[in-house]
Amino acid sequence: MHRFVLHNEEIREASEKLLSPGQVGLLSGWGVFSTIKVVEGVLFAFERHWARMSRDAALLRVPMPPDPGAVHERLLRLLEANEAREATLRLVVVRNGGGMWQGPQSASASDVAALTTDLKDWGGGVRLSIVPQARHSANPFSGTKILSWAMNLAWLEEAQSHGFDEVILLNEGGEVAECTSANIFVARENRVFTPPLSSGCLPGVTREILLSDVQVARYPVVEKTLYPADLESADQVFITSTTRELLPVWVIGDRAVRYSGNARESLQAAFSEYVSSYVARAQSAPVSDSVSS
């Protein structure tokens, strides 16, 4: 993690004691967050991340700051303080009150915190294990990105102790939902599929862009219910996230994944063009202008 963090409206040293045990969101995981890639000093797809956080926060009754443009400007100050032009940023909104264990009333209903770190090298591909019954698709909170993240971290740590990089999470119907911090896609012939939101997966920003904005005529991307057998028979399998972009899967469990065709490569090239165009637009007209309007 880099030296400075954002706490509400101030840039502070990361070593300072800024949060308190009496903040209910801190003790209960009552808050929302998003991870944003920083490209040439631009917060890529900030407005999409903010929109998803706002939807999740409304469901969880977490008060969001009223002015996303102001938050965006503070995040840019954090990037400047940390000299983080190519980095990963974590934005968190923590609820301060509620329940019998809340501390003395804070001046605000929630706290905003943000921190940055270097981009991670994810390597050339990943090995995935599988965990059944890991998502409950009918749960009204499924697909929300909330601070109660410990189960994901425990599954990931267990998988990594056995030589895997990530985990495929199945829902109560045995359907493929997602990974602990990534969406999953399969390519078959000239089509690319990803599980629908009804599977219980998170609506990832990279996933959303591939479904709605990145167009590769030869490889349309659509939602489709998937099972582990569909991964085994696919021409390609890859996972997506803000910092991974489109990362190939080499192994699932004890089976090597077939890798034929160039669906992932074509979509990655189109996605990279999308990112470059976004960054160019943001540098000429700051995203905070459109977010605030």
Side-chain angles (χ1 to χ4, degrees), residues 1-284:
M1 195 173 85
H2 295 155
R3 175 180 176 183
F4 297 104
V5 299
L6 172 70
H7 182 239
N8 293 326
E9 299 180 4
E10 300 180 340
I11 305 296
R12 308 287 289 271
E13 291 274 356
S15 58
E16 291 185 62
K17 294 178 174 58
L18 303 173
L19 302 173
S20 66
Q23 290 179 264
V24 170
L26 207 60
L27 296 176
S28 307
W30 201 353
V32 296
F33 77 98
S34 201
T35 303
I36 304 174
K37 188 173 184 178
V38 181
V39 183
E40 297 181 26
V42 171
L43 295 163
F44 173 64
F46 172 80
E47 70 283 5
R48 292 179 187 263
H49 286 278
W50 185 268
R52 185 181 65 195
M53 288 181 70
S54 298
R55 291 194 301 268
D56 293 349
L59 184 64
L60 285 161
R61 303 176 65 83
V62 174
M64 286 286 284
D67 185 358
V71 175
H72 184 266
E73 291 300 326
R74 293 166 196 152
L75 294 176
L76 292 181
R77 287 197 286 117
L78 175 64
L79 299 183
E80 184 177 358
N82 283 329
E83 299 180 355
R85 288 188 56 78
E86 306 289 335
T88 301
L89 180 141
R90 173 66 57 87
L91 176 61
V92 179
V93 179
V94 181
R95 176 164 166 159
N96 285 333
M100 65 181 289
W101 295 108
Q102 70 178 27
Q105 287 298 315
S106 169
S108 61
S110 59
D111 268 16
V112 176
L115 48 151
T116 62
T117 190
D118 294 337
L119 289 171
K120 180 175 178 177
D121 181 2
W122 295 99
V126 292
R127 300 167 55 91
L128 306 180
S129 62
I130 298 179
V131 175
Q133 298 285 341
R135 287 290 183 260
H136 180 202
S137 62
N139 188 316
F141 295 106
S142 70
T144 56
K145 195 161 188 175
I146 60 178
L147 292 180
S148 300
W149 203 250
M151 287 188 295
N152 285 343
L153 294 175
W155 283 321
L156 181 61
E157 190 173 271
E158 172 69 14
Q160 290 176 343
S161 71
H162 293 287
F164 296 99
D165 302 295
E166 245 288 9
V167 183
I168 298 171
L169 306 177
L170 307 183
N171 66 18
E172 71 276 19
E175 301 169 0
V176 174
E178 60 183 343
C179 296
T180 65
S181 62
N183 292 111
I184 191 163
F185 290 73
V186 303
R188 184 176 297 113
E189 297 179 349
N190 64 338
R191 302 191 74 186
V192 177
F193 306 105
T194 192
L197 297 183
S198 59
S199 70
C201 71
L202 181 82
V205 167
T206 303
R207 174 189 183 276
E208 179 182 294
I209 291 171
L210 290 175
L211 283 167
S212 62
D213 289 65
V214 170
Q215 302 290 323
V216 177
R218 188 179 175 189
Y219 298 110
V221 182
V222 297
E223 294 181 323
K224 183 179 186 295
T225 299
L226 299 173
Y227 294 90
D230 295 309
L231 307 184
E232 295 175 6
S233 62
D235 295 329
Q236 291 183 339
V237 180
F238 58 92
I239 61 174
T240 66
S241 71
T242 292
T243 55
R244 294 178 180 91
E245 297 193 346
L246 285 67
L247 191 61
V249 175
W250 289 334
V251 173
I252 298 176
D254 59 357
R255 300 171 63 102
V257 175
R258 181 169 53 187
Y259 202 84
S260 63
N262 62 349
R264 187 199 66 83
E265 291 81 358
S266 299
L267 288 167
Q268 175 64 70
F271 183 81
S272 296
E273 290 182 10
Y274 179 91
V275 173
S276 296
S277 297
Y278 181 98
V279 170
R281 291 195 305 271
Q283 289 173 335
S284 61

